[in-house]
Every structure is written in structure tokens, then in C-alpha cells.
Amino acid sequence: MPLEDDWAYARTVESLLHNGQYQLHPWISANMPFQAVWGAMFALLLGPGFGSLRISTLILSGAGLFACYKLLKADGRSEAEACLGTLVLWSSPLYLRFSFTFMTDVPFTALVLLSLWLYAKAWTQMSHRWMAVAAMAGTAAILTRQFAVAIIPALLLVGWMRRSAPKTASLAAVAVIPLILAAAYQVASGLLAPTWAQQITLRAQHLMMSNWRELLEQLLWRPGILLQYLCLFTLPLSLGVIVQLAVDRTPVRHRVSTGFVRLCFIAAAVSGVSLAVGLATHKDSILPRIPWNLEGLDSFGALAPRILTVVTLIAAVPLTALLAATVRRDFLAATTPSSAPPIAALIHTTMICLLPMTLIYNQFGDEYLLVYVPWTIWTIGRAVSLRGRSAILCVAGMILLQLAVVVPWVDYIMTYNQVQWEAAQIAVERFKIPPTKVYAGWTWDCYYAFDDYAARFPAAGQTNFDTLFVQWLPAMEKQAEYRVKVGYRTGSSVPGKIDVARRRTLLGRVMEAKPVRVPE
């Protein structure tokens, strides 16, 4: 069954397998030829279906975790710190969730991590072989999501910093040329043959960039939200750092410099401006503040999101100050004569070049912030070493607590979609009706009838995707003969009923779905 948008990515792979040509699905904005070929390989090996495609994502997810661990170890972190940092990334809500989809979020993050680790290894060893391998990973990242072009200026900066070292020119050429070619391909594809979704995205982006008031509003609001979400996604590490600083016996005046206090005030001001702009423009002030994945916080009642909002707002201030102070220190160190490769400059520059793309992109969602999570973990690890047992136990305990919430959440999403999809298939097979006569959520209708939507609502003139959710999907639901009803099994449910799809969740509850005839 599909999850979120990965029905369209699956259709792209199906087209590649059936026609032998890569053709991006009209619904997709991120041009992803590498991921399509990667998924097609697993479909050929394991058989077609969403399961094979998810396994391909899980492989990349594991590679990203391995690269995160290696980057932490290469930076001098202890075994405990490297393992905990990697576990913080793995347990992060969106990394774990999107590891079980075929969307580009985790593959993009993993490939960026993998390429940065390989580039760091190549520059350290001054090896053409490792540089070629790193360039392959970087090219794959760009061919998964266009924003990976941020790696290119970072590589050019490192090459300039190492310009006096032998073999630098040839190494830089091996590192950068494949990425430039991939970037040129992405630009040409988007301009010469944009998909239905890309046309709408380009139009919406032009409108946003031409409206200076809206652009200013977004640039004032988004940084504070980004910092808060980064704190939320790395909460175990953030709290562990606070504990480490609290139990450190070094006098406060030696641990906290005037510059750090100044950065804390700046971070607090950024958060305050963001909150004020959000309130003035009637945006949500309580988590979740941006789409698309944390709406489930509402199920914990009104108090939990408020507490989480306060905790992340407070913790985001020292976290941001640590990030800024560490980045500044690393860049100053990189400009001094040294034989050591400026790996920190490579990683920081990549993220800094990526940041403007995120802040000015017309869509601002939590999924797009995932790539900054490992960078935050790596940078905070450079700033504060978790030496104390209390800090290590705090991080480990928070990871377990986070997993205790995130794993059932991911399982619920997958179970819900699985039984819904299975019940819709039961209706099609049992009642001999076309899929469009069954309503089983937006992914079902889009998977089987997106061409109908694109024909009814051409891209010309549209600046968002509201017509799908506001007009087309309600019309499809209205014309359906059966609707799939999903819920937990009750005492009145019949265990052996053949038209009911059932799955047991990790919490032991049985979720079931069944097609229900729509009254005429």
C-alpha cells in the first residue's frame, strides 16, 4: 500500500520497468532518477510492489545511519557518543517514519550524509579513488532531490582552502564535475519539460518571490520555526547537553563566555520575532506549527502540545547558540594554516548553502527540515562532549522514551493504511467493480485515477494543489459505490468475516477495515 506521496514515486518506477524509460510522474516536483533506478533494481530482485520499494529505502536509511556514525567517529567522538548520536537520528520521528516510505526525504538525507562522509575520507587521504566514490554518492543525492546542489559550493570552498596541497586541482575536478553535470541535468529537466506539479511549483515560487511582503514575512517567521523543530527532532541530545552542562564542575564563568551569552540573546530574539510574526499573521503558536506530519500531537490532548512547545522554545535558545558558536569557531580554525583538511567547513558550508533554499521555497514543511537533523547532532557533538554518566543516561533514556512514542505512531500509520488498502482491494475483487468506484482515501484515488484529475484540472493557472483535495477528491468520494471504513475491532466484530481486512498493531489492538455500501 502507498504512504503519503509515494504512490506517485511507485508509478515512476512502474513506468521505468514497463517502458524501459525514466518518466517522472506528473504529481512529483522532486526529479529523482537515481531513486527510480534504485527502486527498480529492488523490484526486479524481490518482485514488484510497495514492499520492495520500501526495502530499498530502508537500505539507504541504514547507509545514512552508518555515515552519521562514521562522521561522528572521524570527528573524534567516543564510541558511546557516536552510537548515541546515531540513535538520536534513527529515533527522530520523521527519519524513522519516512524510512518506511518510498519518498525522497530519507534517501536524500542519507545520500547527503554518505557523500559528506566519503568526501571527508577522500580529502583526508587525498585519494582519487575515494573522491570518485564520493562523487558518485553526491551525484546520486542531486539526482534524488535537486537541493543537493548545495554540496557543490562547499566542495569548491574546500578545494580553495586546500589549494596549496598536492593533487588538490585533480581531486577537486573529480569531486565537482559529476555534480555540476547532474545539476545541469536537473535544471534542464525542470525548465524544458516540467511535470504538472513542477509547473505549479514554479508558478507559486515566482509569485512568492515577486511579493516582497510575503517573502519578508516568511523570512522573519521561518528561522525561528526551523530552530524549534530542530530542537524537537534532536530533543534527547538537547536535554543531554543541558544535563552535561549542569553537572559539569567547571565554574560557570569558564563554561559560558560573553560571546555565548550574546548568541543566546540573539537566538531568543529570533524565536521571539518568529513567534510575533506568527501571531500577527494568524499562524499556529502551538506545535505543530507547520505541515505535514505532527498533527497527531492533538490526540494527546491540549496539554501535551503546549508543554512540548514550551520545552522546545526554551531549549532551542542554547541549542542555537551552540550551533552558531561552533560553526563560527570551525570556520575561523579552517582559515588558519593547517595540514588537516577543513572537513567541518565542508559540512557546515553544505548546510549553510542549503538553508536559503529551504527558507525561500514556497512550501515549508517539517519533512524538508529532516536533512538538518544529522548536521545538528554532529555540530552539537563538537561543542559539548557527553563525558558524564548522567548525561549519557539522560540521552539514552530519552531515546528509549522517544522510541516508545514514535514506533507505535509509525506502526499505527502503516497499519491503518494497510487495512484500508486491503479492504479496498477486497471490494474491487469481490464486487467486480473498478477501483474508482471505491473510496479508500486520497492515495487510492490518486494511484488509480490521477490522470482523470490532471485532465480536469490542468496545471495552467494553478498555484497550489487545493483543487485535488477541495474539488476532485470530494467528487470521487461522491461517485463511489463503496467507502472503506477503518477502526479498531469491537466486541460486535465477526472474526472470520471475509470482507474485512485486519491487522494487529504493536500495542496489541486489532485494526480492521471493511467496504461499506454507499446509500443511493
Side-chain angles (χ1 to χ4, degrees):
M1 82 294 182
L3 290 170
E4 305 298 336
D5 293 321
D6 70 359
W7 61 269
Y9 297 89
R11 283 297 196 194
T12 302
V13 173
E14 292 173 10
S15 175
L16 178 60
L17 290 173
H18 294 159
N19 304 325
Q21 293 182 338
Y22 170 72
Q23 185 175 2
L24 188 64
H25 190 275
W27 177 250
I28 302 176
S29 294
N31 193 20
M32 35 76 79
F34 169 78
Q35 188 174 341
V37 173
W38 178 260
M41 290 169 49
F42 283 82
L44 289 172
L45 289 171
L46 305 176
F50 290 99
S52 301
L53 300 180
R54 295 217 172 90
I55 290 174
S56 75
T57 303
L58 284 169
I59 298 296
L60 288 176
S61 173
L65 293 173
F66 175 76
C68 180
Y69 169 82
K70 297 297 285 186
L71 280 170
L72 289 167
K73 287 291 291 181
D75 195 47
R77 306 281 70 77
S78 67
E79 188 70 25
E81 288 176 305
C83 289
L84 285 175
T86 305
L87 287 174
V88 169
L89 174 60
W90 177 63
S91 65
S92 188
L94 297 192
Y95 195 89
L96 187 59
R97 177 181 179 183
F98 285 100
S99 292
F100 291 91
T101 74
F102 190 61
M103 294 172 64
T104 58
D105 302 280
V106 164
F108 169 67
T109 301
L111 289 168
V112 168
L113 272 174
L114 195 61
S115 61
L116 290 176
W117 167 59
L118 290 169
Y119 277 125
K121 188 177 183 70
W123 281 116
T124 301
Q125 299 184 8
M126 299 299 284
S127 166
H128 286 90
R129 181 184 63 181
W130 281 111
M131 193 66 79
V133 176
M136 291 172 62
T139 302
I142 293 176
L143 296 180
T144 297
R145 186 181 283 180
Q146 297 94 317
F147 282 9
V149 296
I151 300 173
I152 296 174
L155 289 171
L156 293 174
L157 176 64
V158 171
W160 181 80
M161 289 179 172
R162 299 280 289 171
R163 61 191 180 277
S164 60
K167 302 193 295 185
T168 295
S170 59
L171 284 170
V174 172
V176 172
I177 290 176
L179 275 65
I180 292 176
L181 294 175
Y185 162 77
Q186 289 284 32
V187 172
S189 298
L191 295 178
L192 300 178
T195 65
W196 180 91
Q198 287 173 344
Q199 294 178 54
I200 294 176
T201 299
L202 288 171
R203 190 176 298 109
Q205 189 68 47
H206 178 264
L207 286 175
M208 178 177 170
M209 298 301 292
S210 59
N211 186 341
W212 68 269
R213 289 181 181 274
E214 180 185 358
L215 182 61
L216 179 62
E217 172 193 310
Q218 295 296 332
L219 290 176
L220 289 174
W221 176 67
R222 290 182 177 186
I225 302 302
L226 185 147
L227 295 172
Q228 185 183 2
Y229 270 76
L230 286 182
C231 181
L232 175 64
F233 294 154
T234 60
L235 197 55
L237 182 61
S238 301
L239 295 180
V241 167
I242 292 174
V243 171
Q244 177 68 57
L245 294 175
V247 301
D248 196 335
R249 295 182 180 180
T250 307
V252 174
R253 65 179 179 276
H254 295 306
R255 285 184 279 138
V256 181
S257 65
T258 303
F260 181 78
V261 173
R262 189 181 300 116
L263 288 172
C264 284
F265 277 111
I266 294 173
V270 170
S271 297
V273 169
S274 175
L275 183 62
V277 171
L279 291 172
T281 54
H282 307 290
K283 292 181 172 64
D284 290 331
S285 58
I286 306 297
L287 287 171
R289 298 189 179 184
I290 55 177
W292 292 280
N293 297 282
L294 299 183
E295 289 83 356
L297 286 172
D298 297 336
S299 63
F300 291 94
L303 184 60
R306 294 177 185 276
I307 293 176
L308 196 59
T309 300
V310 172
V311 170
T312 52
L313 277 173
I314 294 173
V317 172
L319 178 72
T320 305
L322 279 174
L323 284 173
T326 306
V327 171
R328 179 177 179 274
R329 183 196 66 195
D330 288 344
F331 274 113
L332 288 175
T335 58
T336 59
S338 172
S339 60
I343 304 307
L346 169 68
I347 297 173
H348 293 323
T349 304
T350 299
M351 294 298 128
I352 291 171
C353 291
L354 187 61
L355 188 60
M357 304 183 202
T358 303
L359 293 178
I360 66 172
Y361 187 53
N362 70 93
Q363 291 183 310
F364 187 61
D366 48 20
E367 298 167 18
Y368 299 150
L369 309 184
L370 180 58
V371 69
Y372 299 102
V373 174
W375 169 67
T376 303
I377 295 169
W378 186 83
T379 305
I380 293 302
R382 288 176 63 80
V384 179
S385 297
L386 298 178
R387 301 179 303 274
R389 179 180 298 179
S390 300
I392 293 174
L393 289 176
C394 174
V395 175
M398 285 299 300
I399 289 172
L400 292 175
L401 180 61
Q402 185 165 264
L403 285 173
V405 176
V406 174
V407 170
W409 173 58
V410 174
D411 175 64
Y412 170 84
I413 293 171
M414 296 188 67
T415 304
Y416 185 99
N417 284 272
Q418 182 69 49
V419 296
Q420 186 182 47
W421 190 266
E422 289 178 357
Q425 290 176 323
I426 289 172
V428 169
E429 294 169 4
R430 183 176 179 187
F431 304 117
K432 309 299 181 185
I433 56 176
T436 53
K437 293 299 180 182
V438 180
Y439 184 78
W442 78 279
T443 56
W444 174 273
D445 278 336
C446 286
Y447 183 76
Y448 285 108
F450 182 83
D451 290 343
D452 173 76
Y453 165 65
R456 294 192 195 183
F457 299 92
Q462 295 196 63
T463 57
N464 54 50
F465 306 102
D466 289 350
T467 53
L468 184 136
F469 297 99
V470 177
Q471 298 183 48
W472 184 72
L473 283 174
M476 294 295 290
E477 183 178 9
K478 193 173 182 179
Q479 74 175 28
E481 297 178 7
Y482 289 87
R483 292 194 188 100
V484 174
K485 182 180 179 182
V486 185
Y488 287 111
R489 188 170 70 183
T490 62
S492 59
S493 301
V494 181
K497 205 168 182 181
I498 62 173
D499 62 346
V500 176
R502 291 187 178 90
R503 294 268 175 170
R504 187 179 296 274
T505 67
L506 289 177
L507 298 180
R509 301 187 68 182
V510 176
M511 188 176 292
E512 62 181 24
K514 59 182 179 181
V516 178
R517 179 76 181 186
V518 177
E520 296 186 9

